[in-house]
Amino acid sequence: MKASGRTDTALGLGTPRGPVAALTKILVYAMLVAVFAGPLIAVLVSSLDRVTDPTKLSFIPRHFTFDSYRVAFDRGVFKYLLNSLVVVGGGLLLQVLVSVSAAYALARKRFPGARLVLLLILSTMMLPEEVLAIPLSLILGDLPVLHVSLLNSLVGMIVPVGAWGMSILVMTEFMKEIPIELEEAARIDGAGEFRLFWSVVLPLCRPALGVIGIFGFNMIWDQYMLPLLVARDSAQYTLSLALRTLRDDPEVGIGVLLAGSVLALLPSIVVFLSFQRQFMRGLTSGAIKG
């Protein structure tokens, strides 16, 4: 809303103009970058430097070198990174498939006990990992019906993260907002159930898919308890578990840990930057009606 050449903000304040206002904005932005991006930049720069004291990280490398990454490669960090990528790729794919299928049934179908099913799904989000550790390890050691063990395998780290209550909730609430008239029109045109789901409902859920994709990726990528339960030897370690091992190794310096930390941070940053448009659309889709 404009009044007298000024634009009112959400707080009811006019937009400031002039050199003082511009300088203030630059200072505020600089402080925000220093607070949020400063630690990441310090870790990245220090991983390219010869750091001996973890309390003395810098923003400018004094002795530029890739020795930390070379030592990390020799210690198998890139192999652990590959394990993490396999787990997060398979787990996220399975999680998205389960989420969209469950959400479609809960949001677009009517059956007895639907609210109870949704309540049970949400209740799984209230249980901490420590409570689930023992029963999860017993189930993975002897999978019901099949009677096979998933311990000491990457599959054992993928299957438990295939269903996540938050992703199902986000997709369910988003699908409820899709007009039912679109389905009725598609049915009149002869679309079957699968065609209706694949060609009508799912394309409209791209913003929600971006949201659950980013949150699901970070949830799986940050897993520590699950790899700790499943992995029995170092060949099955993920990067988060390997960093703990490297930290306990007296022969590994702080530079190798910083290099491993950078490798652990980069995938999350790349995924967020790749899907940030869908992520923001998914977050704001329910804020505007009409």
Side-chain angles (χ1 to χ4, degrees):
M1 178 180 178
K2 291 185 177 181
S4 304
R6 302 179 64 184
T7 303
D8 291 338
T9 63
L11 298 178
L13 302 176
T15 302
R17 301 181 182 275
V20 176
L23 180 60
T24 303
K25 291 170 64 176
I26 293 175
L27 292 176
V28 171
Y29 292 156
M31 287 189 295
L32 291 175
V33 171
V35 170
F36 292 101
L40 301 179
I41 296 175
V43 171
L44 175 60
V45 172
S46 299
S47 68
L48 299 172
D49 199 355
R50 295 176 182 175
V51 179
T52 57
D53 189 351
T55 63
K56 295 181 179 179
L57 304 183
S58 63
F59 292 96
I60 301 176
R62 293 179 292 272
H63 306 283
F64 188 85
T65 178
F66 286 99
D67 288 345
S68 297
Y69 289 91
R70 179 182 57 80
V71 176
F73 179 80
D74 295 337
R75 293 282 179 172
V77 170
F78 288 91
K79 179 184 68 176
Y80 304 138
L81 175 62
L82 179 61
N83 288 344
S84 295
L85 292 175
V86 171
V87 171
V88 75
L92 186 58
L93 177 61
L94 182 60
Q95 189 177 112
V96 170
L97 291 176
V98 172
S99 298
V100 296
S101 302
Y104 182 72
L106 292 171
R108 315 303 294 184
K109 304 299 177 183
R110 298 292 180 267
F111 58 91
R115 293 185 178 180
L116 178 61
V117 172
L118 185 58
L119 181 61
L120 292 176
I121 292 175
L122 294 179
S123 65
T124 61
M125 301 172 58
M126 305 177 188
L127 298 176
E129 293 182 346
E130 294 77 9
V131 174
L132 299 174
I134 294 179
L136 182 60
S137 62
L138 294 176
I139 292 176
L140 292 177
D142 184 13
L143 202 63
V145 181
L146 299 178
H147 297 292
V148 296
S149 176
L150 297 182
L151 296 178
N152 202 33
S153 67
L154 297 182
V155 177
M157 305 179 197
I158 294 175
V159 173
V161 299
W164 189 29
M166 179 178 175
S167 296
I168 296 175
L169 175 63
V170 171
M171 290 301 304
T172 300
E173 294 303 318
F174 194 91
M175 285 187 181
K176 287 181 178 179
E177 300 298 325
I178 298 177
I180 193 65
E181 290 79 10
L182 294 177
E183 289 190 25
E184 295 174 350
R187 291 185 189 279
I188 293 175
D189 291 338
E193 198 66 43
F194 179 78
R195 182 66 180 275
L196 187 66
F197 168 73
W198 183 260
S199 301
V200 178
V201 176
L202 199 57
L204 297 175
C205 296
R206 288 180 181 177
L209 289 173
V211 173
I212 68 171
I214 291 178
F215 279 116
F217 181 94
N218 288 327
M219 186 275 285
I220 301 172
W221 187 261
D222 294 337
Q223 283 290 324
Y224 178 79
M225 181 70 71
L226 182 59
L228 186 63
L229 292 174
V230 176
R232 291 294 184 266
D233 57 72
S234 59
Q236 306 298 329
Y237 281 2
T238 59
L239 188 54
S240 59
L241 198 59
L243 290 177
R244 190 281 310 265
T245 304
L246 292 176
R247 187 181 61 182
D248 296 337
D249 191 342
E251 298 181 1
V252 174
I254 186 63
V256 178
L257 289 177
L258 293 175
S261 300
V262 170
L263 294 175
L265 287 171
L266 284 179
S268 297
I269 297 175
V270 171
V271 168
F272 177 76
L273 293 178
S274 301
F275 295 96
Q276 62 174 331
R277 180 175 299 179
Q278 290 83 357
F279 179 74
M280 296 306 299
R281 286 179 57 193
L283 291 180
T284 59
S285 59
I288 300 177
K289 299 293 183 180

